[in-house]
Amino acid sequence: AEALETAHAAAEADANCAEAHAAVGVAALAADPQDTSSDAVAAVQQATFLEPGNALVKLEVGRVFESREQLDQAGAAYAEAAALDPTWAAPQLATLALRLREGDTEGTLAGLRALPEQMRATGAAELLLGQALLGTEDSVEALAALARAVTVLPGLAAAHAARGDAAEASDEPTVAADAYGRAVEREPENLRYRTRHGVLLARDGRFDEALAELAEVTGRPEGRDPETLIDLGTVYRSLDPPRVEDAVAAYEEALKLDPGNGDAVLGIARSYRADKQWEQAIEAYERLSDVDPRREGESLLGVAGCYCLSRDAYKARFYAGLAAQAGAPMRQLRAALSDSCKTARDD
């Protein structure tokens, strides 16, 4: 709000300054990312009316259009900005980022390789390179590019978050959690970052910190969405010993918000299974196919695993056969039963 007020004051002080109106658009977009009020687009259009040959103004026009999901108009504005100042990296990188957003990973990488060396060396280019490489599953090179990006752009939360994603893909949970921690430090109100931070802390075994972070998110009305509640339940379930009641409560709340969410039901089943409450676990696995009929094979496979773990070999084989008939992959079926029965023998 303060940034928007400052931008408005500057535009009122010099009504003919295009960049002042563009700044209003940027601030309005920060306050309303979808621009539902159309204040941002009105401001940047006024700016481009005042100075149609200003590359900065054209770039901001593109960003507003992109945030409004008007991608064709965004691409056209970025192209105009690049034509107005061919030496400026920002509009060319914005064009390539838009291409990546539209799913053209190879085209994005080719475009980055074609840029002049001084443009490729910028932090924004390294960030985009890392994001594109993640799309090719080259997580090692992506992580290297994003490490360079955060060195150049240490204050950019999105760069730290992208590095966290790359570290997770590279099976480096400590690096991933710490990277998201830095993203949260820079944007503490970003609930998506906070949720990812909590999930990654749990994967790194830092359960107390994970619960604190997820409690911060779910303590806000806008943070109690099904996905976050499922994440919270999974952390409760992963504790030793598992906090089954808390886990089930979180999963049930997620299911209440999204009655067709099979992952919530699966979380309930796995919570009871983690605590060796076989009857409740079997009931929950059977409930999975009611909530999401497409997951009947997974439901029956879970039931078979519970019977195996509770040393009822006859019913385990029976339900395994039903799971196979329902289309459960045989490799997954054999692996699940092998692991379950081995655990039962070890116990």
Side-chain angles (χ1 to χ4, degrees):
E2 183 178 347
L4 185 56
E5 289 176 7
T6 301
H8 272 301
E12 290 170 4
D14 188 352
N16 293 318
C17 177
E19 293 188 8
H21 287 282
V24 171
V26 172
L29 198 63
D32 178 11
Q34 282 72 50
D35 194 29
T36 54
S37 64
S38 295
D39 289 345
V41 74
V44 295
Q45 285 177 336
Q46 175 64 16
T48 200
F49 171 77
L50 291 168
E51 287 190 43
N54 187 314
L56 173 62
V57 168
K58 288 292 184 185
L59 179 67
E60 299 304 342
V61 169
R63 287 174 174 160
V64 170
F65 278 131
E66 184 175 357
S67 194
R68 289 166 58 93
E69 301 293 333
Q70 295 173 266
L71 303 187
D72 289 342
Q73 294 95 320
Y78 292 146
E80 288 182 51
L84 287 167
D85 188 352
T87 67
W88 190 24
Q92 297 189 52
L93 291 172
T95 297
L96 293 173
L98 185 61
R99 184 179 293 181
L100 181 63
R101 179 177 175 180
E102 293 174 329
D104 185 5
T105 301
E106 292 303 324
T108 303
L109 289 169
L112 284 166
R113 287 192 290 269
L115 290 175
E117 183 177 353
Q118 66 271 23
M119 289 188 185
R120 294 199 305 272
T122 62
E126 293 284 13
L127 172 58
L128 184 57
L129 175 62
Q131 292 169 327
L133 287 170
L134 267 178
T136 68
E137 300 185 357
D138 189 348
S139 58
V140 175
E141 288 299 320
L143 187 56
L146 291 163
R148 295 191 294 270
V150 297
T151 299
V152 180
L153 303 169
L156 185 63
H160 291 283
R163 186 177 181 226
D165 292 335
E168 181 187 23
S170 298
D171 197 24
E172 295 191 31
T174 301
V175 175
D178 290 346
Y180 261 97
R182 285 187 283 274
V184 169
E185 287 172 3
R186 287 150 181 80
E187 289 188 20
E189 297 304 309
N190 189 314
L191 297 189
R192 187 180 72 82
Y193 289 167
R194 299 199 82 126
T195 300
R196 288 282 288 142
H197 185 217
V199 169
L200 290 166
L201 284 167
R203 289 180 187 168
D204 194 39
R206 290 181 265 174
F207 294 110
D208 289 343
E209 293 176 65
L211 284 175
E213 187 69 284
L214 291 173
E216 174 68 27
V217 176
T218 56
R220 307 182 190 191
E222 67 273 24
R224 297 193 79 83
D225 60 81
E227 288 187 5
T228 305
L229 289 163
I230 288 172
D231 289 333
L232 179 61
T234 301
V235 175
Y236 282 132
R237 171 168 61 85
S238 302
L239 298 173
D240 186 16
R243 287 171 55 176
V244 176
E245 289 186 10
D246 291 326
V248 170
Y251 289 129
E252 289 285 10
E253 185 177 348
L255 193 60
K256 185 177 181 181
L257 294 170
D258 181 8
N261 195 314
D263 288 337
V265 182
L266 191 60
I268 294 169
R270 288 174 172 169
S271 298
Y272 286 128
R273 175 172 167 160
D275 201 39
K276 300 182 181 180
Q277 298 184 42
W278 306 123
E279 184 176 343
Q280 295 92 326
I282 288 167
E283 288 178 0
Y285 275 119
E286 290 175 337
R287 185 180 172 194
L288 174 60
S289 59
D290 294 331
V291 170
D292 187 350
R294 297 169 300 177
R295 301 176 75 166
E296 182 183 9
E298 190 175 1
S299 167
L300 292 164
L301 187 59
V303 172
C306 286
Y307 279 121
C308 191
L309 284 165
S310 59
R311 295 184 173 86
D312 190 333
Y314 174 78
K315 287 185 178 179
R317 288 193 295 270
F318 175 76
Y319 278 96
L322 293 180
Q325 292 174 26
M330 291 305 297
R331 181 179 299 176
Q332 179 185 353
L333 192 154
R334 291 192 188 98
L337 287 181
S338 175
D339 290 346
S340 296
C341 293
K342 180 181 184 299
T343 301
R345 289 194 298 272
D346 291 344
D347 290 345

